Amino acid sequence: MRSEVQAVETELFAGKPVVTGLKQARRAVMDGIAAAVYIASDAEDRIQAPLRALCAERCVSVCSEFTMEQLGRAAGIAVGAAACAVLHSA
């Protein structure tokens, strides 16, 4: 099971333009360049709720099946990430 999760983490953002962090993800949604947003399942509700509402308003899909640690690793950073956004390809 652990190796399956690691494989998903590795492939999650592979080759895709991505921004990491709550503020950058929010900005990408507001600018209309976010194709999908990943919000960490263990992020606080006060952090999740406004971004979820913005995504719903802008019709951007949201996935919450990964933890902050998993999102951070998938994005290639050494710390956890509360949110990441995959950007539309140019």
Side-chain angles (χ1 to χ4, degrees):
M1 176 71 174
R2 182 71 181 154
S3 62
E4 290 175 18
V5 170
Q6 288 174 332
V8 169
E9 289 172 14
T10 304
E11 297 298 319
L12 188 60
F13 303 132
K16 300 174 188 171
V18 64
V19 293
T20 305
L22 184 66
K23 289 180 183 177
Q24 289 185 35
R26 181 178 169 270
R27 184 171 300 144
V29 173
M30 290 180 69
D31 291 346
I33 60 172
V37 171
Y38 292 81
I39 300 174
S41 59
D42 55 346
E44 295 180 26
D45 286 337
R46 67 180 180 83
I47 291 173
Q48 289 187 24
L51 184 55
R52 283 183 184 283
L54 180 62
C55 289
E57 179 183 309
R58 303 288 176 112
C59 299
V60 176
S61 62
V62 175
C63 174
S64 294
E65 60 186 77
F66 300 100
T67 65
M68 290 195 304
E69 181 183 349
Q70 291 170 326
L71 286 179
R73 275 199 305 251
I77 61 174
V79 295
C84 295
V86 175
L87 307 180
H88 291 289
S89 298

